[in-house]
Amino acid sequence: MGSGIVQVSAQAGFSVLFVEANDELVKRGLGRLRDTLEGLTAKGKLEAKARDEALGRIAGTTKLEDLKACDLVIEAMTENQALKNETFATLDRIAAPHALLASNTSSCNVTALAAVTRRPARVLGMHFFNPVPLMKLVEVVRTILTEDAAVQTATEFVRAVGKVPVQAKDATAFIVNRLLVPYLLDAVRVYEGGLASLDDIDQAMKLGCGYPMGPFTLLDLVGLDTAMYVAEVMFEEFREPRYAPPPLLKRMVMAGHLGRKTGRGFYTYDTK
Ligand code: 3HC
């Protein structure tokens, strides 16, 4: 998702600096963005000049300190509250006092992120959807500590990158995942119970409800580990059985079948 956020921001005219864990990942990230934008040009969807300008606005680094000149930092790390808390505390020391610190989290506690900083009024959630360049929605998530001006700026940024903002409170899973995750978990349960085949469940929900993807295609896209993590956090928060990850989902994650990113989830993919 980080790569998608970089792409849409650079295409919208913002200078973007992304941080990766090591040089190899920086190189890979830049290569992937170049391939994506070149692919769009080859398809006639992006002019060569716009492609080159967008690529010229993107830089990568491995040092969080390099973010000190940024006005907005969007964190898109793995869904791990402790890791995010630690990162926000560090970012707070690095970023300019006026800078907004946002998280692309789908399930972590944004209030907890705000609380580890000295700028809780300028910490909020900006939840994009997968795949970022194609999905129009961003949930702008405010905590009880977020100031109106920060929400306003984040909302303007979302519109500037061509997305549609909706506002939600910092309550676990916000709007979309609160409704989507129980549906995905139920799909796994009915498959596990032997109701129908994967293909038929996917086909049924696509053609019967007009959804763009069936639940298993979507789980593979989102990542089974991400879906399970979100479900666990929701279960922890609400203690309702419908949010508990079903046994099959847990075992697939244990087996490393995480979806498209590992080449195998409910379906298999050509990793090339
Ligand atoms: N930038 C710009 N354009 C791109 C692109 C990129 N990086 N990658 C692909 N495209 C273009 C392609 O060139 C293609 O254009 P073309 O049709 O002119 O050739 C177009 O986008 C997509 O074409 P596809 O045929 O692959 O796409 P579909 O029409 O099948 O739509 C989809 C794909 C938008 C992913 C649709 O299937 C969909 O909406 N699926 C549901 C996704 C969803 O529900 N996401 C939410 C997941 S939940 C989540 O993210 C929350 C998280 O916190 C867990």
Side-chain angles (χ1 to χ4, degrees):
M1 294 185 84
S3 153
I5 297 170
V6 172
Q7 181 194 329
V8 297
S9 304
Q11 283 190 264
F14 293 96
S15 293
V16 190
L17 178 62
F18 71 85
V19 185
E20 267 293 3
N22 58 49
D23 290 330
E24 179 52 34
L25 288 173
V26 170
K27 216 172 111 196
R28 224 192 288 167
L30 286 170
R32 181 175 162 174
L33 284 157
R34 181 166 293 111
D35 289 349
T36 300
L37 294 177
E38 282 174 357
L40 292 175
T41 303
K43 276 187 173 178
K45 299 182 93 177
L46 181 68
E47 284 190 15
K49 185 166 173 279
R51 173 201 62 204
D52 293 342
E53 283 171 357
L55 286 171
R57 286 191 278 266
I58 302 172
T61 178
T62 55
K63 297 192 202 75
L64 280 176
E65 294 72 38
D66 293 342
L67 297 177
K68 61 181 180 295
C70 293
D71 299 308
L72 167 65
V73 180
I74 304 177
E75 165 276 315
M77 301 165 78
T78 188
E79 288 290 272
N80 178 319
Q81 184 82 49
L83 195 62
K84 286 183 197 274
N85 287 355
E86 198 183 299
T87 305
F88 269 67
T90 309
L91 285 172
D92 184 44
R93 288 194 290 276
I94 292 165
H98 74 274
L100 296 189
L101 303 184
S103 176
N104 177 49
T105 185
S106 53
S107 57
C108 290
N109 189 318
V110 184
T111 310
L113 299 179
V116 297
T117 72
R118 293 158 304 172
R119 68 180 83 204
R122 285 183 297 289
V123 174
L124 74 178
M126 287 174 78
H127 183 212
F128 290 75
F129 290 82
N130 229 328
V132 174
L134 305 185
M135 301 300 286
K136 292 300 261 183
L137 187 73
V138 178
E139 291 174 319
V140 176
V141 179
R142 70 182 304 159
T143 75
I144 49 176
L145 301 166
T146 314
E147 66 190 12
D148 289 342
V151 174
Q152 177 77 24
T153 305
T155 302
E156 281 167 20
F157 175 79
V158 168
R159 291 208 178 98
V161 299
K163 305 287 179 200
V164 178
V166 290
Q167 266 191 44
K169 290 183 187 158
D170 177 32
T172 300
F174 320 132
I175 304 170
V176 173
N177 280 338
R178 182 81 83 91
L179 299 174
L180 177 66
V181 170
Y183 155 70
L184 295 176
L185 298 178
D186 271 345
V188 178
R189 284 187 196 105
V190 298
Y191 172 62
E192 208 173 6
L195 176 73
S197 68
L198 286 178
D199 284 334
D200 281 357
I201 296 172
D202 267 359
Q203 191 74 307
M205 295 315 291
K206 264 176 78 173
L207 303 184
C209 292
Y211 289 178
M213 288 178 166
F216 298 107
T217 310
L218 184 54
L219 275 163
D220 280 357
L221 174 72
V222 167
L224 273 59
D225 52 340
T226 302
M228 188 180 87
Y229 184 80
V230 176
E232 277 173 344
V233 174
M234 290 173 77
F235 181 65
E236 180 65 26
E237 177 88 337
F238 302 109
R239 301 289 166 134
E240 290 184 33
R242 66 197 176 113
Y243 297 128
L248 175 63
L249 182 63
K250 288 198 218 162
R251 276 151 187 79
M252 288 185 69
V253 172
M254 279 170 207
H257 295 175
L258 306 184
R260 281 187 196 208
K261 62 186 167 189
T262 57
R264 184 159 177 194
F266 286 100
Y267 300 101
T268 47
Y269 302 86
D270 179 350
T271 45
K272 289 196 216 85

